[in-house]
Amino acid sequence: MITTAEILTRAKVAAPQLLTVTAEEKNKALSAMADALLAHMDNILTENEKDMERAKDRISDVMLDRLLLTNDRIQGMADGIRAVAALPDPVGRILKETVRPDGLIIQKRSVPMGVIAIIYESRPNVTSDAAALSFKSGNACVLRGGKEAFLSANAITNALREGLTESGFNADLVQLVQDTTRQSSMELMTATGYVDLLIPRGGAGLIKACVENATVNCIETGTGSCHGYVDKAADLNMAG
């Protein structure tokens, strides 16, 4: 089994390839990744069945539904990748421009981070979403999913990597951590020099662990399940 340290090293080596490619080249690769996902649908569903079987009586019905993959859900994942491809290229976008009195133009432009590590829980679809968004923004990604969805996520990642290879890209631009213990999460949180940005996506416990232990740049996301309440006397159109 490849170690987390080896995965991080490979990501660091692969990331510079995205600094010299065009938006069109990235979009073609994303399309190939979506095609590969559909081409390997049967294998992904088979691996997902194994995850589902192992997770029975261990996680809630709600979590089981999130874990479940179907033909329609995989089609939705592929459609999501194509939707990302259709977005404007964020790399090189001018965020701010100032013209100095002497005529010097100073611009603030968006640039890739380098290697983005994403820790998420047992939602296989996040695998393709995170990979597509990272690639589109010019970044290599190291994904660390929940153990309940490992076989599904691994099958999805292998399909995406095949699409990258067919498009002439280094497959190591998208990788899945093979170690599902907490140790691998800690390795990502403390991978100074290898991880340029860490994004935790999950419950309060995961967010708290990343904020408290990360020595790399970390985005503290919300925990979700945020609800809004509208009084019965309120104007619903205005409230919406």
Side-chain angles (χ1 to χ4, degrees):
M1 181 179 73
I2 185 172
T3 67
T4 304
E6 290 171 329
I7 286 174
L8 289 168
T9 299
R10 291 184 182 186
K12 197 69 175 177
V13 171
Q17 181 184 15
L18 286 174
L19 297 176
T20 57
V21 299
T22 65
E24 182 179 5
E25 289 171 326
K26 287 191 294 184
N27 291 339
K28 285 183 177 179
L30 286 166
S31 179
M33 291 161 71
D35 289 343
L37 201 62
L38 297 178
H40 291 280
M41 182 182 291
D42 288 344
N43 179 57
I44 293 170
L45 290 173
T46 297
E47 295 302 289
N48 182 247
E49 287 178 7
K50 297 176 185 177
D51 280 334
M52 291 291 292
E53 185 61 32
R54 295 192 308 180
K56 283 181 180 178
D57 302 321
R58 293 175 52 196
I59 60 177
S60 68
D61 289 343
V62 172
M63 292 301 294
L64 277 173
D65 181 65
R66 292 176 180 177
L67 175 58
L68 176 65
L69 289 177
T70 63
N71 290 51
D72 286 345
R73 288 185 175 184
I74 295 176
Q75 179 65 59
M77 290 160 59
D79 292 343
I81 295 175
R82 298 188 201 284
V84 170
L87 294 172
D89 193 340
V91 178
R93 185 164 59 92
I94 299 174
L95 305 176
K96 184 178 180 181
E97 182 174 284
T98 302
V99 180
R100 303 282 295 173
D102 60 0
L104 177 66
I105 299 175
I106 301 174
Q107 293 180 337
K108 180 179 180 181
R109 291 176 174 262
S110 60
V111 298
M113 298 290 294
V115 176
I116 296 179
I118 304 169
I119 302 176
Y120 56 100
E121 296 177 343
S122 301
R123 287 194 179 195
N125 63 296
V126 175
T127 307
S128 60
D129 291 345
L133 289 168
S134 296
F135 184 79
K136 177 77 174 189
S137 57
N139 297 287
C141 68
V142 175
L143 308 171
R144 199 282 188 188
K147 62 182 179 181
E148 292 84 5
F150 175 75
L151 295 177
S152 306
N154 201 49
I156 291 167
T157 300
N158 288 337
L160 299 178
R161 286 167 58 86
E162 181 180 295
L164 284 173
T165 300
E166 291 175 352
S167 304
F169 283 88
N170 189 332
D172 289 336
L173 289 166
V174 175
Q175 297 182 83
L176 179 73
V177 171
Q178 299 295 294
D179 177 9
T180 59
T181 69
R182 292 184 179 180
Q183 175 61 30
S184 63
S185 292
M186 288 299 298
E187 287 184 70
L188 295 182
M189 295 179 203
T190 57
T192 304
Y194 292 91
V195 171
D196 297 293
L197 178 66
L198 172 65
I199 303 175
R201 187 183 188 277
L206 171 61
I207 308 301
K208 184 173 184 289
C210 289
V211 171
E212 292 180 350
N213 297 296
T215 59
V216 299
N217 295 320
C218 178
I219 292 180
E220 182 180 359
T221 60
T223 57
S225 297
C226 300
H227 304 282
Y229 296 88
V230 181
D231 188 85
K232 63 181 180 181
D235 183 326
L236 292 179
N237 291 328
M238 182 179 290

